[in-house]
Amino acid sequence: MNLKTGSMLDIKTINVQIKGIVQGVGFRPFVYSLALQNGLTGWVRNSSSGVEIEINGTSPNLENFLAVLRNSPPPLSRIDTLSVEDTTNHEYKEFTIIESNSMEGEFLPISPDYSICDDCLRELFDPQDRRYRYPFINCTNCGPRFTIIKDIPYDRPKTTMASFELCDQCFKEYKNPLDRRYHAQPIACPVCGPQVSLIIDNQMIANGEEAIQISRKMIRDGNILAVKGLGGFHLACDATNFEAVDLLRSRKKRSDKPFALMAFSVETISDYCLVSKSEQLQLESKERPIVLLQLKSMNDLSPLVTPSQNHLGFMLPYTPLHYLLLEPADDNPPIWVMTSGNISDEPIAYKDTDAFSQLGNIADAYLIHNREIHMRIDDSVTRIIAGRNYPIRRSRGYAPNPVISPLNLPQILAAGAELKNTFCLTRDNYAFISHHIGDMENYETLQSFEEAITHYQKLFRINPELIASDMHPDYLSTRFASQLALSKNIQNIQIQHHHAHLAACLADNQYEKDDPIIGLCYDGTGYGTDGAIWGGEILVGNYAQYQRKFHLRYVPLPGGDISIRIPARMALSHLWAYQIDWDPSLPGVAALCMEDKTVLDVQLSRQINTPKTSSMGRLFDAVASLIGVRHKVSYEGQAAIEMEALIDPDETGYYPVIWENGLIDPKPLFEAIIVDLLENTPIQTLSARFHNSIVQVSLELCKLIRSENKINTVALSGGVWQNKVLLENMIKRLKKDQFDVMIHQTIPTNDGGISLGQALIASKFINNS
């Protein structure tokens, strides 16, 4: 619409409808202030679907108002649609904020929890401020949102802050449209708000500032502290105290998986890691994820924080309490371990009673608070690829932000996969992908999954008319979907795992066309239409359908999951499949005792519990064991991650891989690796040549498909693409050959993104039925 028509003195009235994250983020006071600045009159109000404005004034002033509204909205807001219509002229005397307008069935997105803002941080350390050193300082530009909301509309009575009655000073701020705490639902101060307490041996030892200072001393003395944060508990210790880190690993039963670290500032992090400008921006962003950074020097860090790796996962403080705990002092450790407060493989503890029972054998003390967490949420994990955010785990700071779908979607529930589970609920052009649920391998995680689905459906007013799930019959998410569909008498569509990966990457790149593209879908496990375990898949397809153009040659997966935990078994399985002798001088062969090799040989020869697999993840495991990197793993992807860390960046050689009739055959690769091994080629060279080989064969097959099918776009999806070296080299080679490349941007490339792909595929099923 062009407002610049008619005389400059013309007074006109317009109606503005805004959808997106526009409630609970200071949007109405922003509009109020902007209207006053431009001499406009009218009103603004919340509605069930966003914010509505009716405003009148001269055309130039209205133009300026809309320009600022579109281009410089409040920092936590996100405008998805903004529509403007002329309406009947109305001469208002002033501009006001009026009562909300509720409409049945309407919904709106909800803001994630965000890091403390600069203004609140300044006040936190200002002795003259009435919230000086108050661990729950917040405003409309920061603080808890999603984790405290029980229902919409987002008003204080429907949050876990309902029990905290505002004092007179907070009430005045809450009611003042020109105050940045206007209608900030978590607003609080030391007089009327939540407080921290320190619990040791079931006894409250201290409150407030004293509790924080005793906690700092306990960390200095080598203790393990359970700290209640925004979305659950962390287990904290001094990352420079070797004994404390070792003790935490022992108590948490986490032998090798890296710990997340927290430092007070980027300057401190830079003492240990290389930090690019893009990585600094990510560290300091309002989302405050854990960012994977290239190790520069361990300095005084315990090597046990990240065994056998060349990256550290760092985050900055994101709550006032974190800043008070990490505040620099001569005797305060500069780096704290801040790992999820749970027993390995279980969801993060978020209720005080659960923390006391679940973490009782781990933590020496509990720093808790009395602001209830309604919905647990883990820290997000990301890294920077080609200067952009590349999510590894999408959770705090990002969820429940919807992904804007390139398609208009019916109301669908997509149940996701088993590992790194998320679910997805869709409505209109919104795809609400859940926070990270975790590995669906126990009752506790299933319970967390079900609770979260119920909460999301309630918040976003979604009643699914269709359910989508993975094809794997043994996944808890698949069983849940089947039972729910049966109970509601609606259809459950089972989606092939790698097709979902492809669709997820398309949606993440706002792909709207029906033209098929090439999908390099590489991961560890995905149930195939033939009953085999897929994972090294080159697909050609779109949302509606796919073709399996190439895949890794099948090899046995002896014993199923046990071979995932023992890569040496996969090394020997590949050798057996390729009729290569089990030479005892090879590291992978020597890793198993004679008895284990005898049993494995019988198992393979007689095909006893040996499902077939084309998994790229298992190929990485096999090579990692064969060359001596890792023979047993304690967490998913460990062997591949440690092999990546050994790569010689200057090595350009690669091993031969052949293909025929749609089968990719790595037998020549194994033969060449063995030759290198027997010639005592350095392990760094072996690792580099293997990675180069995967890039080379992938590029050649993409070129072959392009020549036959005239397809020039390639999507990279699946957990294997978390490998930074492999991903960056693949992107570089594809672009050099003039391919258009799609990688993930807002959702993880691993199984945490599967649910979005399932939903998009299921929507096509509805549209085509």
Side-chain angles (χ1 to χ4, degrees), residues 22-24 28 43-52 96-103 108 152-155 174 182-183 185:
V22 290
Q23 291 189 20
R28 287 176 302 162
W43 50 261
V44 60
R45 69 183 176 188
N46 281 341
S47 71
S48 299
S49 59
V51 165
E52 182 181 6
T96 58
I97 298 174
I98 66 173
E99 289 295 317
S100 300
N101 180 33
S102 181
M103 297 175 64
L108 71 158
I152 59 170
Y154 175 47
D155 293 320
Y174 185 83
Y182 175 75
H183 276 237
Q185 306 306 336

Side-chain angles (χ1 to χ4, degrees), residues 499-536:
H499 186 201
H501 267 306
L502 172 59
C505 193
L506 297 184
D508 206 5
N509 286 269
Q510 295 293 300
Y511 190 74
E512 300 178 80
K513 302 176 183 177
D514 290 328
D515 298 341
I517 64 129
I518 302 167
L520 301 183
C521 300
Y522 297 163
D523 66 1
T525 301
Y527 195 80
T529 54
D530 58 358
I533 305 301
W534 294 6

Side-chain angles (χ1 to χ4, degrees), residues 330-356:
D330 290 341
D331 55 353
N332 197 46
I335 308 293
W336 288 28
V337 168
M338 279 285 191
T339 188
S340 298
N342 61 348
I343 301 170
S344 291
D345 300 325
E346 291 189 6
I348 185 172
Y350 72 109
K351 296 179 180 178
D352 296 348
T353 52
D354 290 343
F356 296 152

